[in-house]
Amino acid sequence: MSQPPPPPNQPPQQPGFGPPQEPSEPQTPPAPATPPTPPAQPPQQPPAGPDLNKAPQPQPGYGYPQAPGTPPPAAPPTPPQGPGYGYPQQQPPAGYGYPAQQPGPYGQPGPYGQPQQPGPYGQQPPYGYAQPTVPMQAQAGQPGGGRKVNAQVAIIVSAVVAIALIVGGGVWYANSSGKDDDKQTTAEGGDTKGGEGDGKEGGSGDGGATTGEAEEKAPAATGSKVLFQVPSPKVPKGVTTISIAGSWLTDSVYAKSGLSEITGYDRKSGTKKWTLDLPGPVCAATSHVTEDNKTAIVHKPAMPSKTDPQACTEVAVVDLAAGSKVWTKTAKSGTMPVSFNNVTIGGGTVAAGSTSGGAAWDLATGDERWAPKTSDSCYDAGYGGGAKLVAVRKCGSYDQRQLHIQNVDPKTGDVLAEYKMDEGIEYAAVVSTDPLVVAADVGDSAGDGSGISDFFSIDNKTGKLRARLSAPGDEFAARCDAIYKVENCTGVTVGNDRLYIATEEHDSGGDSYSQTNEVVAFDLATGKQTGQRADAGENYEIFPLRMDGPDVIAYKRPPYDKGGQVVSIDGESFKETILMENPSTEAVRDVESRMSPDYSEIQFGQGGLYMSSVYASDFTSREKEYSVIAFGTE
């Protein structure tokens, strides 16, 4: 899959918010005032649902080279606007942040002004239904990555084709079944103290090796109520968008980033338990939480301004129980401070990556374990944490990139095992560190901005490839931001030595115009589908969130007239058990529908569902916006 230019609904990038990236991220203008008029007739009936037993489709060769001289990728994509899918299909509205006829990046004719491709849910409200005017929030790190200019024509074509398919019959999909020369600056890894990402509530984690029994049980009554809501913070005057990435769950606290602080709320009442003031916004955060409730963030040293954008130089460990900082550190590459893109925790180490290289510190003391060296010919772009610590190390020039996936020791810096991906694969995301699973877009073949065409199952003891799993972007709905946030993936989780992934939505069959999708499983040893399938149900869309022992916790995005659901999927039988069903009142739906699973942070644990946005923006026509909505069962 290629990394596309920013698609519709990209939150505008205000100069000074977010680290100065290499390549830089383009800015986007305000959203158009009103959407276009929808077409006059509903779509014709498409063919019945997908053939889950259809043979895999041919894919470009492993390590398929990319066109030389391609410009750096644009900013990653962000979500479409509108409530949950289930509406009769209509012509999509003009992309948020793109007035018609605006030229595309790099001087190319862009898709702006063309009919836009439908969002993940492919739906818009029926005639007469009030169209939301507030932009849906974007996912932390904006998963999917930016597509390069050589794929922009394909985006325009795909948008036109998508609309033609809506009118003419819907969308059909077929299921596919040592030591490094630069080891002194390589990330270190090892077993994670506290089991970050092992299925502990609230964190997507790394989906790692499945141990223990499932903890989430169905309550006597699955109907939920709204526990509390947190108003979206007001951005400073003259600022369009600012990051509020980061949310975490402990046994007693739900913690969420604000403009320049992190606030801990009582899980049930929403009462503020503590507030940790920061000098600037949070740029990046890990979802991993240790057993003693520590996590890690990257933040700016001061509030940005038009004249001083500030860089994301500060790496900090936060105690979520006490609401305090444990330590704050910075690193330099030569004489220049490093602006970090991502941060994680693994093996008692905090590791942060960037285009200038990676750095790491002891989790408990903050003592430096390594920092970038200007003499290096390779650099650590980012790390995956949790049960192990895995580095995505980049070597070679932009048009002849080679990625080294390294399982590394967090205390010595030694490379424990390494897998070298074929040249031409520019970006990779770490989906899981134990078992080790990496996602990549091979040969820019995905075509949908998701950042994934294939998953690679790697033996993290030997570095040998176990299996390659083909996951074409037009068939599967997982997304990864492999460009900046190396371990930021949605719609996929790993456990039981299997990969669980959401399929793309498709017609559900029958006489209605309803849509649906599934969660299916791949065997990480063989790369083949297991035949297991969990259906979303008519007009629902299902997304795996994390593992719960051997089971999968998934969120179901609802139709426009119902509330969302949380379900547990049995890891063997794939039987679904409803854990929660949210209210279907319009006021509640209005808030929940803006928390897209692809572009928001969703935490679930102990009967509580916490959904939050990752941007605060001044682009709104509504009187009140919420950055958090929390649901609970009795």
Side-chain angles (χ1 to χ4, degrees), residues 510-522:
D511 297 329
S512 68
Y513 299 109
S514 61
Q515 297 279 298
T516 191
N517 80 321
E518 301 81 27
V519 170
V520 297
F522 284 83

Side-chain angles (χ1 to χ4, degrees), residues 231-254:
S232 185
K234 300 296 183 183
V235 299
K237 186 177 181 180
V239 175
T240 55
T241 303
I242 194 167
S243 170
I244 53 171
S247 59
W248 306 267
L249 273 181
T250 72
D251 289 340
S252 60
V253 170
Y254 170 74

